[in-house]
């Protein structure tokens, strides 16, 4: 309980920007790019006397619950503390972004950014309270067991999961290698749910995958901005051009964002040195530009970027930078609208709190919070259609791609095929 008191009494010298030590962590969809900070281990109520006095209502309520609530077994101090912290942060209006991460969630997100974890090997999401499979990872236990992109997840080990959060869903699906989890899923277009048993394994996930499409168009998918994303992107672009790529489709759909250093590294592959990638603005209005670095390997090749409503944080920044520099045409749907720069602070027992301390703007100073990046051409996918992965797209010929259900990809190909210097 003393931990909670310290947190709820916390003043915010945490707004001060601390040195970045290469320890940056990503959120799920709607997350921001993160900068790690440290907390002073001692606190006192430094607010006004009225605020400090009002805080006594919290302890009065705690004691009343402890003494009088009808079901004593429901009184779980850890859950009450977590709920109080989450409620405090939600009151800031940055819900789902500025947030508290229990130790297990914080550990899972660290693993994800390192590109390795133990689980089934699938990208998951929750849309309109319905958990679903965004995409199984190629060669993963999920794919081998029969999990498909677009599957609705109805139950996990027999427990109904509708309305669950992404973090809660991730914690239920992940687990030690060698253990089994049973997902009750409904495949797209099939009325009867099926139970699929999946044996968890160690998963190593590259954040960049690519395939050559007909007429030498390279489709490169960036799933998140993880610890090696800029290196992987440079390698993919180098390999694609060596194999004759004459244009690139950069797929940022369903990319939740990630590390700001990796964002700069990826953007620098496409933009000339010194080009502004984003502006970071503190609460006093001071702005700091992030600029493209030297050494880009794809600064002139024809480029189309795909985004959707789940493209967030660093994915939005990259799309906005390429659009405003007129380096690429952006196709898809308005992005998520994340714009708070998060700093991560460690709490006791492995928990963390992430607080939005600055916001990012496009290179031209446009606000993105709650608005997102507007594509050059707004095109939505038909209901229940899941974006094609590079490997799936590479199995189709030109006509099948142009006439397929992934109309965002089809339009990107049309633009590139129509470009005078393109394929």
């Amino acid at each position: 309980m003393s931990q909670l008191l310290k947190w709820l009494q916390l003043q915010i010298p945490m707004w001060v920007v601390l040195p970045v030590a290469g320890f940056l962590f990503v959120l799920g969809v709607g997350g921001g790019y993160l900068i790690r900070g440290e907390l002073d281990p001692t606190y006192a109520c430094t607010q006004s006397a009225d605020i400090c006095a009002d805080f006594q209502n919290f302890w009065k309520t705690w004691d009343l619950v402890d003494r009088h609530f009808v079901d004593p077994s429901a009184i779980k101090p850890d859950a009450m503390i977590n709920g109080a912290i989450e409620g405090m942060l939600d009151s800031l209006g940055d819900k789902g972004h500025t947030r508290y991460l229990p130790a297990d969630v914080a550990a899972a997100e660290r693993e994800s950014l390192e590109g390795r974890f133990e689980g089934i090997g699938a990208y998951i999401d929750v849309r309109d309270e319905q958990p679903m499979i965004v995409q199984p990872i190629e060669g993963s236990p999920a794919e081998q067991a029969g999990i498909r992109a677009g599957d609705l997840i109805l139950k996990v080990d027999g427990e109904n999961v509708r309305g669950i959060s992404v973090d809660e869903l991730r914690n239920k699906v992940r687990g030690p290698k060698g253990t089994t989890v049973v997902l009750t899923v409904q495949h797209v277009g099939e009325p009867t749910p099926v139970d699929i048993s999946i044996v968890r394994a160690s998963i190593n996930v590259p954040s960049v995958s690519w395939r050559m499409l007909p007429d030498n168009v390279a489709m490169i998918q960036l799933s998140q901005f993880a610890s090696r994303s800029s290196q992987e992107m440079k390698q993919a672009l180098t390999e694609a051009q060596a194999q004759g790529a004459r244009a690139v489709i950069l797929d940022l759909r369903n990319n939740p964002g990630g590390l700001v250093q990796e964002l700069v590294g990826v953007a620098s592959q496409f933009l000339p040195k010194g080009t502004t990638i984003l502006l970071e603005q503190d609460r006093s209005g001071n702005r700091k530009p992030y600029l493209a670095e030297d050494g880009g390997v794809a600064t002139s090749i024809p480029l189309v970027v795909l985004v959707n409503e789940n493209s967030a944080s660093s994915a939005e920044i990259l799309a906005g930078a390429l659009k405003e520099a007129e380096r690429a045409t952006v196709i898809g749907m308005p992005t998520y609208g994340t714009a708070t720069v998060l700093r991560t602070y460690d709490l006791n027992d492995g928990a963390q709190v992430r607080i939005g301390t600055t916001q990012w703007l496009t290179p031209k100073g446009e606000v993105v919070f709650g608005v997102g990046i507007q594509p050059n051409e707004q095109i939505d996918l038909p209901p229940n259609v899941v974006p094609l992965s590079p490997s799936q797209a590479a199995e189709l010929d030109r006509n099948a791609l142009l006439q397929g259900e992934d109309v965002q990809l089809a339009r990107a190909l049309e633009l590139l095929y129509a470009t005078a210097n393109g394929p």
Side-chain angles (χ1 to χ4, degrees):
M1 291 187 292
S2 60
Q3 177 188 7
L4 176 63
L5 176 58
K6 292 174 182 176
W7 267 102
L8 294 181
Q9 291 174 336
L10 183 59
Q11 182 77 301
I12 304 203
M14 294 190 300
W15 290 106
V16 175
V17 177
L18 298 178
V20 179
F23 236 9
L24 306 175
F25 304 126
V26 69
L27 295 177
V29 171
Y33 62 75
L34 308 176
I35 302 177
R36 179 173 175 141
E38 299 297 335
L39 291 174
D40 185 339
T42 60
Y43 309 103
C45 185
T46 57
Q47 301 292 331
S48 68
D50 288 342
I51 292 176
C52 293
D54 287 344
F55 188 73
Q56 295 177 14
N57 285 336
F58 172 82
W59 292 117
K60 289 179 181 178
T61 303
W62 183 291
D63 290 338
L64 289 168
V65 168
D66 188 50
R67 286 186 284 131
H68 299 297
F69 187 66
V70 65
D71 181 7
S73 66
I75 301 174
K76 300 177 181 179
D78 286 347
M80 293 166 66
I81 290 172
N82 290 349
I85 297 174
E86 290 167 356
M88 175 184 66
L89 296 177
D90 285 349
S91 74
L92 301 175
D94 198 19
K95 189 173 182 179
H97 196 206
T98 291
R99 62 175 183 151
Y100 169 71
L101 283 74
D104 54 348
V105 175
E109 294 195 2
R110 284 194 296 270
E111 289 180 347
S112 177
L113 271 191
E114 291 168 359
R116 56 181 175 80
F117 59 91
E118 293 182 353
I120 67 171
Y123 297 108
I124 57 178
D125 195 8
V126 176
R127 301 177 184 175
D128 297 326
E129 298 192 340
Q130 176 60 64
M132 67 174 295
I133 300 290
V134 174
Q135 187 75 43
I137 296 169
E138 289 185 62
S140 67
E143 184 184 59
Q144 294 172 1
I147 293 293
R148 308 172 191 169
D151 283 349
L152 303 182
I153 305 173
L154 307 181
K155 297 179 181 179
V156 177
D157 287 333
E159 179 183 349
N160 190 306
V161 291
R162 182 169 180 81
I164 198 172
S165 69
V166 172
D167 289 337
E168 292 169 327
L169 179 62
R170 181 189 298 117
N171 290 337
K172 289 181 180 296
V173 173
R174 283 188 180 178
K177 62 181 179 181
T179 61
T180 300
V181 61
V182 178
L183 301 188
T184 302
V185 303
Q186 186 169 353
H187 296 309
V188 175
E190 299 182 11
T192 304
V194 294
D195 290 336
I196 298 180
S197 295
I198 309 170
V199 179
R200 300 178 177 102
S202 295
I203 310 294
N204 292 306
V205 188
S207 58
V208 176
S209 62
W210 80 277
R211 293 288 190 279
M212 193 74 80
L213 304 188
D215 299 304
N216 291 328
V217 174
M219 180 180 180
I220 302 179
Q221 182 181 60
L222 179 60
S223 61
Q224 65 174 340
F225 292 79
S227 60
R228 296 178 297 277
S229 293
S230 57
Q231 296 175 358
E232 293 175 6
M233 180 61 69
K234 186 171 185 176
Q235 180 179 350
L237 288 165
T238 301
E239 292 176 356
Q241 292 177 96
Q243 294 181 29
R246 299 174 62 193
V248 171
I249 296 173
L250 177 60
D251 191 352
L252 300 178
R253 293 175 294 184
N254 299 319
N255 182 319
L259 309 180
V260 65
Q261 293 144 312
E262 298 302 319
L263 158 69
V264 171
V266 170
S268 297
Q269 301 309 311
F270 299 100
L271 294 169
K273 179 182 178 181
T275 304
T276 300
I277 300 169
L278 75 146
L279 301 173
E280 184 178 350
Q281 179 174 288
D282 65 23
R283 60 180 188 171
S284 297
N286 300 312
R287 295 182 177 181
K288 171 187 174 183
Y290 285 71
L291 306 179
E293 301 166 346
D294 195 14
V297 298
T299 57
S300 60
I301 191 169
L303 178 65
V304 174
V305 176
L306 300 180
V307 296
N308 65 5
E309 60 277 6
N310 291 328
S311 303
S313 183
S314 296
E316 298 178 277
I317 298 172
L318 179 57
L322 294 172
K323 176 187 175 184
E324 290 193 351
E326 298 184 356
R327 175 65 187 86
T329 300
V330 179
I331 291 175
M333 296 299 290
T335 59
Y336 190 89
T338 302
T340 310
V341 183
L342 298 180
R343 275 154 177 81
T344 299
Y345 300 91
D346 293 334
L347 305 181
N348 294 338
D349 304 321
Q352 295 178 332
V353 64
R354 292 175 178 170
I355 298 176
T357 58
T358 57
Q359 68 170 323
W360 66 266
L361 310 173
T362 70
K364 293 182 178 179
E366 297 295 326
V367 174
V368 179
F369 183 74
V371 178
I373 296 297
Q374 305 301 310
N376 295 104
E377 293 189 24
Q378 184 167 312
I379 301 174
D380 199 3
L381 291 182
N384 299 320
V385 172
V386 176
L388 290 176
S389 68
S391 61
Q392 292 169 330
E395 295 176 355
L396 304 176
D397 62 24
R398 175 172 174 157
N399 288 336
L401 287 167
L402 292 175
Q403 298 171 14
E405 292 184 317
D406 190 343
V407 293
Q408 295 165 339
L409 175 59
R411 179 55 181 156
L413 288 168
E414 286 178 356
L415 284 179
L416 292 173
Y417 292 152
T419 300
N421 297 321

